[in-house]
């Protein structure tokens, strides 16, 4: 159970990066659709738990150190090539988004030029990825509980101080032009799709550190449920204040500052921690796909890829979230479908084996 909880914490920490914890992703894929987005959050929770369970179990079964083995296992040789390229590209893309997010926080919260935040986060990420995988997993899961506490406080504050009716909030949502999908259902599916496309690599690697498939699978389930709860709380908190957060790079940070400037500072620190978590996971998984972690040149490639991500991070945080994520989200549907098909095949094989034994 201890190992399952550690995997769950790392799963949440991996997915909850700049866009998620700041509220920008949730705003674009959920909150902008009004109250029906609440249904979307439960769909996302179920899918995260199911897909997380499958990926960690496959990683455990294959004892993999890279996502390559698992992707080719569930997708086959030819489709596997396409999905592998998509995931590898997106790992780098998310790392870039995280560095841009760090710059946004430095500028919005502390009035420090964004380039300083980009540089600090790049250096910390590179140094951490040069550690071994067990240390990386431990670090990634540490900050998650702090985020949950802060999100609960912000959501509660938003509802207590809500100054417009539910009907008026829905009207405001209907006028939003921040949505990254055509409707709330597609938004929820896209959100899970691109996050799984981004998180699949590290999920399989985390599963590969455990020999017991059940333990690994439980970690995936617990992590998926935890992600769903966080999405729900952030979504509700922002819905209640939709009339005030529009246009903010970091909506949750905006609400935290409404509570208190000191609380805003705490939220900034936690957000930076979550960005750091995701940046570390993405850069590690991307580099591990190109160079085996046990090879001496692995660290050299970590530095090179980290510098390249730093250079790309100047495109801008909101622009990156709104363009890179939806694009890979649609492509990530292929991976989701492959995981579901692989699960059904596994169930059928198990059923056939039992039938053969009984016969």
């Amino acid at each position: 159970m201890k190992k399952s909880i550690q995997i769950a914490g790392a799963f949440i920490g991996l997915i909850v990066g700049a866009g998620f914890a700041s509220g920008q992703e949730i705003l674009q894929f959920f909150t902008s659709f009004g109250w029906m987005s609440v249904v979307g959050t439960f769909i996302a929770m179920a899918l995260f738990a199911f897909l997380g369970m499958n990926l960690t179990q496959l990683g455990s079964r294959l004892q993999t150190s890279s996502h390559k083995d698992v992707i080719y296992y569930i997708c086959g040789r030819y489709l596997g090539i396409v999905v592998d390229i998509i995931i590898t590209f997106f790992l780098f893309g998310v790392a870039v988004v995280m560095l841009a997010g760090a710059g946004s926080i430095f500028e919005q919260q502390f009035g420090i030029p964004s380039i300083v935040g980009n540089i600090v986060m790049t250096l910390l990420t590179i140094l951490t990825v040069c550690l071994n995988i067990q240390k990386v997993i431990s670090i990634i899961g540490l900050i998650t509980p702090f985020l949950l506490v802060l999100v609960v406080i912000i959501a509660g504050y938003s509802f207590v101080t809500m100054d417009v009716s539910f009907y008026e909030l829905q009207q405001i949502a209907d006028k939003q032009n921040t949505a990254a999908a055509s409707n709330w259902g597609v938004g929820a599916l896209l959100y899970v799709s691109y996050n799984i496309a981004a998180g699949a690599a590290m999920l399989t690697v985390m599963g590969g550190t455990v020999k017991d498939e059940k333990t690994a699978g439980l970690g995936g389930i617990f992590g998926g449920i935890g992600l769903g709860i966080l999405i729900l709380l952030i979504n509700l908190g922002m819905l209640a204040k939709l009339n005030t957060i529009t246009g903010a790079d970091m909506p949750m940070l905006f609400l935290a500052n409404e509570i208190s400037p000191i609380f805003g500072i705490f939220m900034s620190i936690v957000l930076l921690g979550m960005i750091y978590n995701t940046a570390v996971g993405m850069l590690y998984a991307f580099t591990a796909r190109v160079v085996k972690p046990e090879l001496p040149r692995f660290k050299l490639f970590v530095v090179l890829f980290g510098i390249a991500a730093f250079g790309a991070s100047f495109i801008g945080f909101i622009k990156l979230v709104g363009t890179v994520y939806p694009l890979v989200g649609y492509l990530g549907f292929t991976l989701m479908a492959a995981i579901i098909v692989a699960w059904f095949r596994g169930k059928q094989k198990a059923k056939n084996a039992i039938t053969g034994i009984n016969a």
Side-chain angles (χ1 to χ4, degrees):
M1 183 59 70
K2 182 180 178 182
K3 188 65 179 178
S4 294
I5 292 172
Q6 185 184 33
I7 290 174
F11 180 9
I12 296 169
L14 181 70
I15 300 298
V16 182
F20 186 120
S22 71
Q24 187 57 235
E25 289 177 20
I26 309 299
L27 177 66
Q28 293 190 28
F29 289 91
F30 292 94
T31 314
S32 292
F33 299 108
W35 295 105
M36 283 304 296
S37 64
V38 175
V39 180
T41 63
F42 285 103
I43 293 173
M45 181 190 298
L47 285 172
F48 272 129
F50 175 77
L51 297 169
M53 174 191 73
N54 276 274
L55 287 168
T56 49
Q57 283 184 333
L58 285 169
S60 175
R61 187 181 309 160
L62 300 175
Q63 288 294 287
T64 186
S65 60
S66 165
H67 69 266
K68 179 183 176 181
D69 296 333
V70 171
I71 296 305
Y72 280 78
Y73 177 84
I74 62 177
C75 297
R77 180 187 298 178
Y78 301 109
L79 181 59
I81 293 173
V82 176
V83 175
D84 183 21
I85 291 170
I86 292 169
I87 289 177
T88 304
F89 161 77
F90 196 45
L91 291 172
F92 182 78
V94 175
V96 172
V97 174
M98 294 307 106
L99 301 184
S104 288
I105 290 178
F106 269 64
E107 189 167 345
Q108 180 176 322
Q109 183 64 32
F110 305 111
I112 298 172
S114 60
I115 189 172
V116 176
N118 293 26
I119 291 171
V120 170
M121 190 57 64
T122 301
L123 291 174
L124 285 173
T125 301
I126 289 172
L127 289 172
T128 306
V129 175
C130 289
L131 300 173
N132 66 54
I133 182 58
Q134 288 291 353
K135 288 182 180 178
V136 170
I137 292 173
S138 298
I139 290 168
I140 288 176
L142 283 176
I143 307 165
T144 303
F146 296 100
L147 176 68
L148 180 59
V149 172
L150 294 183
V151 166
V152 169
I153 294 171
I154 292 172
Y157 164 81
S158 296
F159 269 95
V160 170
T161 60
M162 188 170 67
D163 53 5
V164 293
S165 69
F166 291 142
Y167 175 74
E168 288 173 311
L169 286 173
Q170 183 61 51
Q171 286 187 314
I172 294 169
D174 291 339
K175 295 176 183 177
Q176 291 288 307
N177 59 359
T178 55
S182 57
N183 60 68
W184 62 268
V186 174
L189 292 174
L190 268 177
Y191 187 74
V192 174
S193 177
Y194 81 72
N195 273 299
I196 286 297
M202 273 303 287
L203 278 171
T204 57
V205 171
M206 288 189 289
T209 64
V210 182
K211 292 185 177 179
D212 180 29
E213 285 186 39
K214 185 177 179 182
T215 298
L218 280 174
I221 292 171
F222 293 156
I225 293 171
L227 281 169
I229 291 170
L230 279 171
I231 294 170
L232 177 64
L233 289 171
I234 292 174
N235 184 42
L236 289 174
M238 292 197 302
L239 267 173
K241 289 287 186 177
L242 193 55
N243 57 318
T244 63
I245 62 171
T246 303
D249 265 19
M250 303 270 170
M252 289 297 282
L253 183 56
F254 178 88
L255 293 176
N257 279 309
E258 272 201 349
I259 296 174
S260 160
I262 295 175
F263 192 81
I265 291 172
F266 279 125
M267 187 64 181
S268 300
I269 293 169
V270 171
L271 278 176
L272 287 169
M274 302 312 296
I275 289 171
Y276 163 75
N277 279 349
T278 303
V280 166
M282 296 300 107
L283 185 59
Y284 180 93
F286 177 77
T287 310
R289 176 60 188 89
V290 179
V291 183
K292 291 184 177 180
E294 59 268 21
L295 295 178
R297 64 177 182 272
F298 177 78
K299 293 180 180 179
L300 172 62
F301 275 85
V302 168
V303 175
L304 293 175
F305 291 144
I307 292 171
F310 168 75
S313 68
F314 292 98
I315 295 172
F317 179 58
I318 291 181
K319 187 175 181 181
L320 283 166
V321 171
T323 54
V324 175
Y325 284 14
L327 173 63
V328 180
Y330 283 111
L331 297 174
F333 283 137
T334 305
L335 176 60
M336 287 175 61
I339 294 170
I340 293 169
V341 170
W343 181 77
F344 276 113
R345 283 178 179 171
K347 288 292 182 183
Q348 189 61 47
K349 283 182 182 178
K351 183 179 178 181
N352 291 341
I354 293 171
T355 302
I357 292 171
N358 291 336

